[in-house]
């Protein structure tokens, strides 16, 4: 017989698998934003929208990728007109990546699409259930982030 923690871990693994499958479905991606953007594009744009301009090295560290990988990603978003690089005034040898006006508009569009989608998905939930969902997912996200950052 499984212990309670083993059951929880098995349930979480199943849920993460299901959520990952759903998150990669084209229909959901279209419902949540422009089809031309990858999931990574939307993460990066949302992060820049929250934080403001960041160095490419900080973006690479946040995404836990090599800076060369982030360079390719940023160049893709630059070509799309969603971000631009400019000289970092605190260190003229470095550059900052910032959203363009179009990038800000795309972020707003994604946020509006997500709001409409999740408003419908959670329509039958009580306010307390929605608050508990957000609190629990926030707690889980922070625990996962901490676990990924701690040396093992």
């Amino acid at each position: 017989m499984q212990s309670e923690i083993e059951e929880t871990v098995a349930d979480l693994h199943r849920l993460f698998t299901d959520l990952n499958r759903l998150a990669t479905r084209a229909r959901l991606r279209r419902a949540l934003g422009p089809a031309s953007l990858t999931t990574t594009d939307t993460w990066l744009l949302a992060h820049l929208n929250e934080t403001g301009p960041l160095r490419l090295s900080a973006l690479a560290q946040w995404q836990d990728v090599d800076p060369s990988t982030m360079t390719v990603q940023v160049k893709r978003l630059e070509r799309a007109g969603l971000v631009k690089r400019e000289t970092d005034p605190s260190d003229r040898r470095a550059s900052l990546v910032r959203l363009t006006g179009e990038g800000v508009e795309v972020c707003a569009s994604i946020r509006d699409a997500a709001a409409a989608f999740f408003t419908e998905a959670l329509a039958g939930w009580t306010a307390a259930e929605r608050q508990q969902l957000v609190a629990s997912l926030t707690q889980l996200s922070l625990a996962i982030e901490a676990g990924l950052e701690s040396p093992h």
Side-chain angles (χ1 to χ4, degrees):
M1 184 161 147
Q2 284 186 321
S3 72
E4 182 183 338
I5 189 70
E6 289 171 329
E7 288 178 26
T8 300
V9 168
D11 287 344
L12 281 174
H13 182 263
R14 181 184 47 78
L15 287 167
F16 266 80
T17 300
D18 287 348
L19 288 171
N20 192 36
R21 178 184 56 82
L22 291 169
T24 59
R25 290 181 63 180
R27 187 170 172 195
L28 179 60
R29 289 188 51 230
R30 282 192 305 273
L32 296 179
S36 61
L37 296 179
T38 67
T39 303
T40 305
D41 291 340
T42 58
W43 294 338
L44 184 55
L45 292 173
H47 188 62
L48 286 170
N49 196 47
E50 285 178 28
T51 63
L54 291 171
R55 286 186 178 185
L56 193 106
S57 58
L59 290 171
Q61 182 178 10
W62 170 75
Q63 190 66 18
D64 196 23
V65 298
D66 187 85
S68 63
T69 301
M70 186 53 64
T71 298
V72 171
Q73 185 69 28
V74 168
K75 282 183 180 180
R76 211 172 96 67
L77 292 173
E78 279 181 307
R79 284 192 301 274
L82 303 176
V83 301
K84 64 181 176 180
R85 281 189 265 189
E86 54 192 36
T87 302
D88 183 345
S90 67
D91 179 354
R92 304 206 51 82
R93 298 169 295 168
S95 64
L96 294 173
V97 179
R98 84 167 48 245
L99 290 177
T100 62
E102 186 177 348
V104 171
E105 289 175 17
V106 166
C107 285
S109 170
I110 291 168
R111 197 171 40 255
D112 291 347
F117 180 84
F118 287 113
T119 296
E120 184 176 327
L122 299 174
W125 295 42
T126 66
E129 288 170 329
R130 291 190 306 269
Q131 290 167 354
Q132 183 60 51
L133 172 67
V134 171
S136 294
L137 287 176
T138 299
Q139 185 178 4
L140 178 60
S141 178
L142 292 171
I144 290 170
E145 188 84 32
L148 291 173
E149 291 176 1
S150 70
H152 285 79

